[in-house]
Amino acid sequence: MSGAVASVDGTPEPGDLVAVVAAEGEVLGYAHVAPASAIRARIVEWGKDSAGEEGLLAAVRTALVRRENLPGLVETDAIRLVNSEGDGLPGLVVDRYAGILVVRPTTAGMQRRASEIGEVLRASGEAALLRPDAIALRREGVPVEERSLFGEVPDVPVSIRERDRVYRVDVRHGQKTGFYLDQRDARDLVSDLAKGRRVLDLFSYTGGFSVAAAVGGAASLVAVDSSKEALARGAEHLAPVAEEIRADLVNADAFRWLRGGSEPFDLIVIDPPPLARRRADVSKASRGYKDLLMHGMRRATPGGDILAFSCSHHVGPDLFRKIAFGAALDAGRRIQVMATLGAPVDHPVSLDHPEGEYLSGLWLRRAD
Ligand SMILES: C[S@@+](CC[C@H](N)C(=O)[O-])C[C@H]1O[C@@H](n2cnc3c(N)ncnc32)[C@H](O)[C@@H]1O
């Protein structure tokens, strides 16, 4: 997009749809503008011909059709229906939890069109909650509107089913849209690896991985998170599936907790929040990831598995692997990479938006 300028008459308001014109005068596409944000324009339609506001609604319909018959989306009633740039809809995420949709705009442009988007989504659920990303909208200089788009959004958590796992999702107050759908495939892996093992779930949130481990037959389980509310929900999730196993839910800073102990584990999940939200944070974040990985490797038993994630796109797969290599050297452990891990099929990434591939995971195994 270098050399391109947004062509508008007058001063654009946040969320206006404007033509994006190259220096030579060629129309490249149409974008929602955000004059106050570092990203001034997000292209919602490429090319010189525009379907106007209808183009965006057509893209939402296409995203819904794309989810039909996708392998990997069976045996669950919780899926991502719209994945922002990955579906050609920058600034719009829609998750469905059983019949309840959570519509999460991260831009003024998408928030402004939420009612029309809600109409397109009407046949895809019983109710839809508009729950914008407040931090992102503040950056665009617009107030946040939270409301029902249609139907009655329940005040109590929504029960979802994923394979043989059951969770209750707080769509109104939970992190992001309420649950981490992007870790579905990794939860399956944890379930497959857990049998008879001592499992550590670091940054557990509401116990997505802990439940997977318990259902998979873990011998014992420790979950650590700094959010008391998330751990309380995790305890509810674990109650029906972890009756027979020792499960400790620890409210602590996971960095300190990991450094401060020596208890060994056979399966360790490390899923911190994004440690590098900006490029300038990368070296500090790298030290943080390395610290977690090094101590995790020291705690892993011989043959033990570590599933480690970076959800900062600034710390992508190559850097994350280098960090793991440095951590293994410092931990004095021989480590194999069993597989790379990432978000599942309902989180497509557009080739022209590699930043959309924000989740980099490694399945590591202690080989000594
Ligand atoms: C990416 S989410 C984890 C998602 C979770 N693994 C799942 O699959 O549902 C990051 C979690 O880290 C927690 N967190 C943030 N900083 C923390 C810290 N220093 N120590 C422990 N937990 C922390 C947050 O409360 C949040 O639940």
Side-chain angles (χ1 to χ4, degrees), residues 175 179-180 183 187 201-206 208-209 224-227 230 252-255 271-273 311:
Q175 294 177 17
F179 194 63
Y180 288 90
Q183 291 288 24
R187 283 190 286 274
D201 180 7
L202 284 176
F203 307 93
S204 60
Y205 185 47
T206 57
F209 287 114
V224 183
D225 201 279
S226 59
S227 160
D253 176 278
F255 291 87
D271 184 23
C311 59

PDB file of all heavy atoms in Angstrom, residues 175 179-180 183 187 201-206 208-209 224-227 230 252-255 271-273 311, ligand 1:
ATOM      1  N   GLN A 175     -12.861 -12.968  29.172  1.00  0.00           N
ATOM      2  CA  GLN A 175     -11.816 -12.350  28.338  1.00  0.00           C
ATOM      3  C   GLN A 175     -12.182 -12.509  26.858  1.00  0.00           C
ATOM      4  O   GLN A 175     -12.764 -13.504  26.450  1.00  0.00           O
ATOM      5  CB  GLN A 175     -10.468 -13.013  28.623  1.00  0.00           C
ATOM      6  CG  GLN A 175      -9.985 -12.736  30.043  1.00  0.00           C
ATOM      7  CD  GLN A 175      -8.671 -13.438  30.380  1.00  0.00           C
ATOM      8  OE1 GLN A 175      -7.941 -13.887  29.504  1.00  0.00           O
ATOM      9  NE2 GLN A 175      -8.377 -13.537  31.672  1.00  0.00           N
ATOM     10  N   PHE A 179     -14.130 -17.027  25.592  1.00  0.00           N
ATOM     11  CA  PHE A 179     -13.419 -18.314  25.620  1.00  0.00           C
ATOM     12  C   PHE A 179     -12.373 -18.302  24.515  1.00  0.00           C
ATOM     13  O   PHE A 179     -12.509 -17.553  23.536  1.00  0.00           O
ATOM     14  CB  PHE A 179     -14.436 -19.456  25.386  1.00  0.00           C
ATOM     15  CG  PHE A 179     -13.918 -20.824  25.707  1.00  0.00           C
ATOM     16  CD1 PHE A 179     -13.550 -21.160  27.001  1.00  0.00           C
ATOM     17  CD2 PHE A 179     -13.806 -21.796  24.709  1.00  0.00           C
ATOM     18  CE1 PHE A 179     -13.078 -22.440  27.299  1.00  0.00           C
ATOM     19  CE2 PHE A 179     -13.337 -23.076  25.005  1.00  0.00           C
ATOM     20  CZ  PHE A 179     -12.981 -23.389  26.297  1.00  0.00           C
ATOM     21  N   TYR A 180     -11.333 -19.155  24.656  1.00  0.00           N
ATOM     22  CA  TYR A 180     -10.260 -19.182  23.662  1.00  0.00           C
ATOM     23  C   TYR A 180     -10.519 -20.303  22.641  1.00  0.00           C
ATOM     24  O   TYR A 180      -9.975 -21.396  22.741  1.00  0.00           O
ATOM     25  CB  TYR A 180      -8.896 -19.320  24.353  1.00  0.00           C
ATOM     26  CG  TYR A 180      -8.514 -18.037  25.050  1.00  0.00           C
ATOM     27  CD1 TYR A 180      -8.869 -17.801  26.377  1.00  0.00           C
ATOM     28  CD2 TYR A 180      -7.856 -17.021  24.368  1.00  0.00           C
ATOM     29  CE1 TYR A 180      -8.565 -16.604  27.007  1.00  0.00           C
ATOM     30  CE2 TYR A 180      -7.540 -15.820  24.983  1.00  0.00           C
ATOM     31  CZ  TYR A 180      -7.892 -15.620  26.300  1.00  0.00           C
ATOM     32  OH  TYR A 180      -7.586 -14.423  26.896  1.00  0.00           O
ATOM     33  N   GLN A 183      -7.671 -22.282  20.697  1.00  0.00           N
ATOM     34  CA  GLN A 183      -6.871 -23.384  21.235  1.00  0.00           C
ATOM     35  C   GLN A 183      -7.592 -24.728  21.154  1.00  0.00           C
ATOM     36  O   GLN A 183      -7.184 -25.704  21.785  1.00  0.00           O
ATOM     37  CB  GLN A 183      -6.503 -23.089  22.711  1.00  0.00           C
ATOM     38  CG  GLN A 183      -5.516 -21.940  22.878  1.00  0.00           C
ATOM     39  CD  GLN A 183      -4.102 -22.315  22.414  1.00  0.00           C
ATOM     40  OE1 GLN A 183      -3.902 -23.208  21.594  1.00  0.00           O
ATOM     41  NE2 GLN A 183      -3.106 -21.610  22.925  1.00  0.00           N
ATOM     42  N   ARG A 187      -6.275 -28.264  22.614  1.00  0.00           N
ATOM     43  CA  ARG A 187      -6.989 -28.971  23.702  1.00  0.00           C
ATOM     44  C   ARG A 187      -7.146 -30.448  23.344  1.00  0.00           C
ATOM     45  O   ARG A 187      -6.994 -31.325  24.198  1.00  0.00           O
ATOM     46  CB  ARG A 187      -8.367 -28.339  23.944  1.00  0.00           C
ATOM     47  CG  ARG A 187      -8.308 -27.044  24.728  1.00  0.00           C
ATOM     48  CD  ARG A 187      -9.687 -26.568  25.157  1.00  0.00           C
ATOM     49  NE  ARG A 187     -10.491 -26.009  24.093  1.00  0.00           N
ATOM     50  CZ  ARG A 187     -10.453 -24.743  23.681  1.00  0.00           C
ATOM     51  NH1 ARG A 187      -9.632 -23.884  24.257  1.00  0.00           N
ATOM     52  NH2 ARG A 187     -11.231 -24.303  22.711  1.00  0.00           N
ATOM     53  N   ASP A 201      -0.958 -26.684  34.004  1.00  0.00           N
ATOM     54  CA  ASP A 201      -1.620 -25.771  33.051  1.00  0.00           C
ATOM     55  C   ASP A 201      -1.317 -24.342  33.511  1.00  0.00           C
ATOM     56  O   ASP A 201      -1.969 -23.820  34.412  1.00  0.00           O
ATOM     57  CB  ASP A 201      -3.132 -26.071  33.066  1.00  0.00           C
ATOM     58  CG  ASP A 201      -3.919 -25.180  32.106  1.00  0.00           C
ATOM     59  OD1 ASP A 201      -3.295 -24.431  31.328  1.00  0.00           O
ATOM     60  OD2 ASP A 201      -5.171 -25.264  32.134  1.00  0.00           O
ATOM     61  N   LEU A 202      -0.303 -23.730  32.879  1.00  0.00           N
ATOM     62  CA  LEU A 202       0.100 -22.373  33.271  1.00  0.00           C
ATOM     63  C   LEU A 202      -0.678 -21.356  32.455  1.00  0.00           C
ATOM     64  O   LEU A 202      -0.800 -21.509  31.241  1.00  0.00           O
ATOM     65  CB  LEU A 202       1.587 -22.172  32.999  1.00  0.00           C
ATOM     66  CG  LEU A 202       2.568 -22.827  33.966  1.00  0.00           C
ATOM     67  CD1 LEU A 202       3.987 -22.597  33.473  1.00  0.00           C
ATOM     68  CD2 LEU A 202       2.423 -22.285  35.378  1.00  0.00           C
ATOM     69  N   PHE A 203      -1.156 -20.307  33.095  1.00  0.00           N
ATOM     70  CA  PHE A 203      -2.036 -19.305  32.466  1.00  0.00           C
ATOM     71  C   PHE A 203      -3.332 -20.012  32.032  1.00  0.00           C
ATOM     72  O   PHE A 203      -3.706 -20.012  30.860  1.00  0.00           O
ATOM     73  CB  PHE A 203      -1.349 -18.619  31.270  1.00  0.00           C
ATOM     74  CG  PHE A 203      -0.001 -18.029  31.591  1.00  0.00           C
ATOM     75  CD1 PHE A 203       1.164 -18.756  31.402  1.00  0.00           C
ATOM     76  CD2 PHE A 203       0.093 -16.748  32.115  1.00  0.00           C
ATOM     77  CE1 PHE A 203       2.402 -18.224  31.705  1.00  0.00           C
ATOM     78  CE2 PHE A 203       1.334 -16.197  32.425  1.00  0.00           C
ATOM     79  CZ  PHE A 203       2.497 -16.942  32.212  1.00  0.00           C
ATOM     80  N   SER A 204      -3.983 -20.610  32.996  1.00  0.00           N
ATOM     81  CA  SER A 204      -5.061 -21.570  32.699  1.00  0.00           C
ATOM     82  C   SER A 204      -6.376 -20.915  32.310  1.00  0.00           C
ATOM     83  O   SER A 204      -7.255 -21.575  31.776  1.00  0.00           O
ATOM     84  CB  SER A 204      -5.302 -22.452  33.913  1.00  0.00           C
ATOM     85  OG  SER A 204      -5.685 -21.634  35.020  1.00  0.00           O
ATOM     86  N   TYR A 205      -6.553 -19.611  32.643  1.00  0.00           N
ATOM     87  CA  TYR A 205      -7.852 -18.944  32.434  1.00  0.00           C
ATOM     88  C   TYR A 205      -8.947 -19.822  33.069  1.00  0.00           C
ATOM     89  O   TYR A 205      -8.810 -20.198  34.225  1.00  0.00           O
ATOM     90  CB  TYR A 205      -8.070 -18.661  30.944  1.00  0.00           C
ATOM     91  CG  TYR A 205      -9.328 -17.861  30.644  1.00  0.00           C
ATOM     92  CD1 TYR A 205      -9.644 -16.715  31.378  1.00  0.00           C
ATOM     93  CD2 TYR A 205     -10.197 -18.242  29.636  1.00  0.00           C
ATOM     94  CE1 TYR A 205     -10.803 -15.988  31.092  1.00  0.00           C
ATOM     95  CE2 TYR A 205     -11.352 -17.515  29.350  1.00  0.00           C
ATOM     96  CZ  TYR A 205     -11.649 -16.394  30.096  1.00  0.00           C
ATOM     97  OH  TYR A 205     -12.788 -15.679  29.821  1.00  0.00           O
ATOM     98  N   THR A 206     -10.008 -20.179  32.340  1.00  0.00           N
ATOM     99  CA  THR A 206     -11.100 -20.937  32.966  1.00  0.00           C
ATOM    100  C   THR A 206     -10.893 -22.456  32.839  1.00  0.00           C
ATOM    101  O   THR A 206     -11.849 -23.226  32.943  1.00  0.00           O
ATOM    102  CB  THR A 206     -12.456 -20.542  32.345  1.00  0.00           C
ATOM    103  OG1 THR A 206     -12.393 -20.770  30.928  1.00  0.00           O
ATOM    104  CG2 THR A 206     -12.785 -19.087  32.593  1.00  0.00           C
ATOM    105  N   GLY A 208      -9.507 -24.317  30.182  1.00  0.00           N
ATOM    106  CA  GLY A 208      -9.701 -24.988  28.884  1.00  0.00           C
ATOM    107  C   GLY A 208      -8.816 -26.230  28.767  1.00  0.00           C
ATOM    108  O   GLY A 208      -9.294 -27.330  28.461  1.00  0.00           O
ATOM    109  N   PHE A 209      -7.520 -26.070  29.014  1.00  0.00           N
ATOM    110  CA  PHE A 209      -6.594 -27.207  28.908  1.00  0.00           C
ATOM    111  C   PHE A 209      -6.733 -28.155  30.096  1.00  0.00           C
ATOM    112  O   PHE A 209      -6.534 -29.367  29.962  1.00  0.00           O
ATOM    113  CB  PHE A 209      -5.145 -26.713  28.823  1.00  0.00           C
ATOM    114  CG  PHE A 209      -4.808 -26.082  27.497  1.00  0.00           C
ATOM    115  CD1 PHE A 209      -4.497 -24.726  27.406  1.00  0.00           C
ATOM    116  CD2 PHE A 209      -4.800 -26.834  26.336  1.00  0.00           C
ATOM    117  CE1 PHE A 209      -4.188 -24.149  26.183  1.00  0.00           C
ATOM    118  CE2 PHE A 209      -4.492 -26.258  25.106  1.00  0.00           C
ATOM    119  CZ  PHE A 209      -4.184 -24.915  25.034  1.00  0.00           C
ATOM    120  N   VAL A 224      -2.568 -22.683  37.047  1.00  0.00           N
ATOM    121  CA  VAL A 224      -2.116 -21.419  37.642  1.00  0.00           C
ATOM    122  C   VAL A 224      -2.623 -20.260  36.795  1.00  0.00           C
ATOM    123  O   VAL A 224      -2.451 -20.254  35.569  1.00  0.00           O
ATOM    124  CB  VAL A 224      -0.565 -21.357  37.702  1.00  0.00           C
ATOM    125  CG1 VAL A 224      -0.110 -20.071  38.403  1.00  0.00           C
ATOM    126  CG2 VAL A 224       0.010 -22.584  38.402  1.00  0.00           C
ATOM    127  N   ASP A 225      -3.243 -19.273  37.445  1.00  0.00           N
ATOM    128  CA  ASP A 225      -3.665 -18.063  36.733  1.00  0.00           C
ATOM    129  C   ASP A 225      -3.734 -16.918  37.742  1.00  0.00           C
ATOM    130  O   ASP A 225      -3.934 -17.128  38.941  1.00  0.00           O
ATOM    131  CB  ASP A 225      -5.031 -18.252  36.064  1.00  0.00           C
ATOM    132  CG  ASP A 225      -5.260 -17.252  34.925  1.00  0.00           C
ATOM    133  OD1 ASP A 225      -5.638 -16.090  35.217  1.00  0.00           O
ATOM    134  OD2 ASP A 225      -5.029 -17.602  33.752  1.00  0.00           O
ATOM    135  N   SER A 226      -3.580 -15.691  37.218  1.00  0.00           N
ATOM    136  CA  SER A 226      -3.617 -14.524  38.107  1.00  0.00           C
ATOM    137  C   SER A 226      -5.050 -14.023  38.315  1.00  0.00           C
ATOM    138  O   SER A 226      -5.261 -13.132  39.134  1.00  0.00           O
ATOM    139  CB  SER A 226      -2.759 -13.395  37.522  1.00  0.00           C
ATOM    140  OG  SER A 226      -3.246 -13.057  36.247  1.00  0.00           O
ATOM    141  N   SER A 227      -6.012 -14.578  37.572  1.00  0.00           N
ATOM    142  CA  SER A 227      -7.393 -14.113  37.709  1.00  0.00           C
ATOM    143  C   SER A 227      -8.198 -15.067  38.598  1.00  0.00           C
ATOM    144  O   SER A 227      -8.405 -16.238  38.251  1.00  0.00           O
ATOM    145  CB  SER A 227      -8.053 -14.019  36.321  1.00  0.00           C
ATOM    146  OG  SER A 227      -9.456 -14.030  36.451  1.00  0.00           O
ATOM    147  N   ALA A 230     -11.433 -16.232  36.883  1.00  0.00           N
ATOM    148  CA  ALA A 230     -11.216 -17.291  35.884  1.00  0.00           C
ATOM    149  C   ALA A 230     -11.000 -18.631  36.579  1.00  0.00           C
ATOM    150  O   ALA A 230     -11.534 -19.664  36.146  1.00  0.00           O
ATOM    151  CB  ALA A 230     -10.010 -16.935  35.004  1.00  0.00           C
ATOM    152  N   ALA A 252      -1.890 -17.162  41.279  1.00  0.00           N
ATOM    153  CA  ALA A 252      -0.528 -16.647  41.461  1.00  0.00           C
ATOM    154  C   ALA A 252      -0.008 -16.092  40.151  1.00  0.00           C
ATOM    155  O   ALA A 252      -0.572 -16.329  39.081  1.00  0.00           O
ATOM    156  CB  ALA A 252       0.386 -17.788  41.918  1.00  0.00           C
ATOM    157  N   ASP A 253       1.108 -15.361  40.271  1.00  0.00           N
ATOM    158  CA  ASP A 253       1.846 -14.946  39.084  1.00  0.00           C
ATOM    159  C   ASP A 253       2.590 -16.184  38.574  1.00  0.00           C
ATOM    160  O   ASP A 253       3.403 -16.776  39.298  1.00  0.00           O
ATOM    161  CB  ASP A 253       2.830 -13.838  39.473  1.00  0.00           C
ATOM    162  CG  ASP A 253       3.694 -13.440  38.297  1.00  0.00           C
ATOM    163  OD1 ASP A 253       4.702 -14.141  38.021  1.00  0.00           O
ATOM    164  OD2 ASP A 253       3.362 -12.466  37.628  1.00  0.00           O
ATOM    165  N   ALA A 254       2.291 -16.575  37.348  1.00  0.00           N
ATOM    166  CA  ALA A 254       2.817 -17.850  36.834  1.00  0.00           C
ATOM    167  C   ALA A 254       4.345 -17.820  36.689  1.00  0.00           C
ATOM    168  O   ALA A 254       4.997 -18.846  36.857  1.00  0.00           O
ATOM    169  CB  ALA A 254       2.165 -18.171  35.495  1.00  0.00           C
ATOM    170  N   PHE A 255       4.899 -16.656  36.373  1.00  0.00           N
ATOM    171  CA  PHE A 255       6.365 -16.561  36.237  1.00  0.00           C
ATOM    172  C   PHE A 255       7.027 -16.900  37.565  1.00  0.00           C
ATOM    173  O   PHE A 255       7.934 -17.727  37.637  1.00  0.00           O
ATOM    174  CB  PHE A 255       6.773 -15.140  35.812  1.00  0.00           C
ATOM    175  CG  PHE A 255       6.373 -14.768  34.425  1.00  0.00           C
ATOM    176  CD1 PHE A 255       5.123 -14.221  34.172  1.00  0.00           C
ATOM    177  CD2 PHE A 255       7.247 -14.952  33.367  1.00  0.00           C
ATOM    178  CE1 PHE A 255       4.750 -13.861  32.890  1.00  0.00           C
ATOM    179  CE2 PHE A 255       6.884 -14.595  32.071  1.00  0.00           C
ATOM    180  CZ  PHE A 255       5.622 -14.049  31.834  1.00  0.00           C
ATOM    181  N   ASP A 271       0.664 -20.996  28.218  1.00  0.00           N
ATOM    182  CA  ASP A 271      -0.143 -20.198  27.270  1.00  0.00           C
ATOM    183  C   ASP A 271      -0.352 -18.778  27.821  1.00  0.00           C
ATOM    184  O   ASP A 271      -1.466 -18.408  28.214  1.00  0.00           O
ATOM    185  CB  ASP A 271      -1.491 -20.911  27.065  1.00  0.00           C
ATOM    186  CG  ASP A 271      -2.355 -20.212  26.012  1.00  0.00           C
ATOM    187  OD1 ASP A 271      -1.804 -19.488  25.158  1.00  0.00           O
ATOM    188  OD2 ASP A 271      -3.591 -20.397  26.054  1.00  0.00           O
ATOM    189  N   PRO A 272       0.736 -17.986  27.849  1.00  0.00           N
ATOM    190  CA  PRO A 272       0.625 -16.655  28.456  1.00  0.00           C
ATOM    191  C   PRO A 272      -0.159 -15.674  27.586  1.00  0.00           C
ATOM    192  O   PRO A 272      -0.373 -15.928  26.397  1.00  0.00           O
ATOM    193  CB  PRO A 272       2.094 -16.202  28.566  1.00  0.00           C
ATOM    194  CG  PRO A 272       2.799 -16.939  27.487  1.00  0.00           C
ATOM    195  CD  PRO A 272       2.086 -18.252  27.315  1.00  0.00           C
ATOM    196  N   PRO A 273      -0.547 -14.544  28.161  1.00  0.00           N
ATOM    197  CA  PRO A 273      -1.138 -13.484  27.330  1.00  0.00           C
ATOM    198  C   PRO A 273      -0.054 -12.935  26.404  1.00  0.00           C
ATOM    199  O   PRO A 273       1.130 -13.245  26.590  1.00  0.00           O
ATOM    200  CB  PRO A 273      -1.555 -12.425  28.361  1.00  0.00           C
ATOM    201  CG  PRO A 273      -0.669 -12.658  29.530  1.00  0.00           C
ATOM    202  CD  PRO A 273      -0.362 -14.125  29.553  1.00  0.00           C
ATOM    203  N   CYS A 311       1.079 -15.723  21.694  1.00  0.00           N
ATOM    204  CA  CYS A 311      -0.053 -15.185  20.910  1.00  0.00           C
ATOM    205  C   CYS A 311       0.215 -13.725  20.559  1.00  0.00           C
ATOM    206  O   CYS A 311      -0.708 -12.951  20.332  1.00  0.00           O
ATOM    207  CB  CYS A 311      -1.391 -15.381  21.628  1.00  0.00           C
ATOM    208  SG  CYS A 311      -1.498 -14.607  23.224  1.00  0.00           S
TER     209      CYS A 311
HETATM  210  C1  LIG B   1      -4.072 -16.416  26.664  1.00  0.00           C
HETATM  211  S1  LIG B   1      -4.967 -16.487  28.154  1.00  0.00           S
HETATM  212  C2  LIG B   1      -4.876 -18.195  28.520  1.00  0.00           C
HETATM  213  C3  LIG B   1      -5.960 -19.002  27.886  1.00  0.00           C
HETATM  214  C4  LIG B   1      -6.116 -20.385  28.437  1.00  0.00           C
HETATM  215  N1  LIG B   1      -4.885 -21.139  28.367  1.00  0.00           N
HETATM  216  C5  LIG B   1      -7.229 -21.092  27.704  1.00  0.00           C
HETATM  217  O1  LIG B   1      -6.916 -21.901  26.800  1.00  0.00           O
HETATM  218  O2  LIG B   1      -8.396 -20.847  27.997  1.00  0.00           O
HETATM  219  C6  LIG B   1      -3.828 -15.813  29.304  1.00  0.00           C
HETATM  220  C7  LIG B   1      -4.211 -15.976  30.770  1.00  0.00           C
HETATM  221  O3  LIG B   1      -3.100 -15.527  31.538  1.00  0.00           O
HETATM  222  C8  LIG B   1      -3.577 -14.906  32.719  1.00  0.00           C
HETATM  223  N2  LIG B   1      -2.440 -14.093  33.195  1.00  0.00           N
HETATM  224  C9  LIG B   1      -1.990 -12.903  32.742  1.00  0.00           C
HETATM  225  N3  LIG B   1      -0.843 -12.561  33.373  1.00  0.00           N
HETATM  226  C10 LIG B   1      -0.563 -13.571  34.245  1.00  0.00           C
HETATM  227  C11 LIG B   1       0.485 -13.828  35.156  1.00  0.00           C
HETATM  228  N4  LIG B   1       1.533 -12.986  35.293  1.00  0.00           N
HETATM  229  N5  LIG B   1       0.441 -14.962  35.885  1.00  0.00           N
HETATM  230  C12 LIG B   1      -0.579 -15.848  35.758  1.00  0.00           C
HETATM  231  N6  LIG B   1      -1.594 -15.656  34.899  1.00  0.00           N
HETATM  232  C13 LIG B   1      -1.590 -14.543  34.137  1.00  0.00           C
HETATM  233  C14 LIG B   1      -4.827 -14.187  32.308  1.00  0.00           C
HETATM  234  O4  LIG B   1      -5.697 -14.038  33.417  1.00  0.00           O
HETATM  235  C15 LIG B   1      -5.395 -15.164  31.248  1.00  0.00           C
HETATM  236  O5  LIG B   1      -6.327 -16.021  31.879  1.00  0.00           O
END
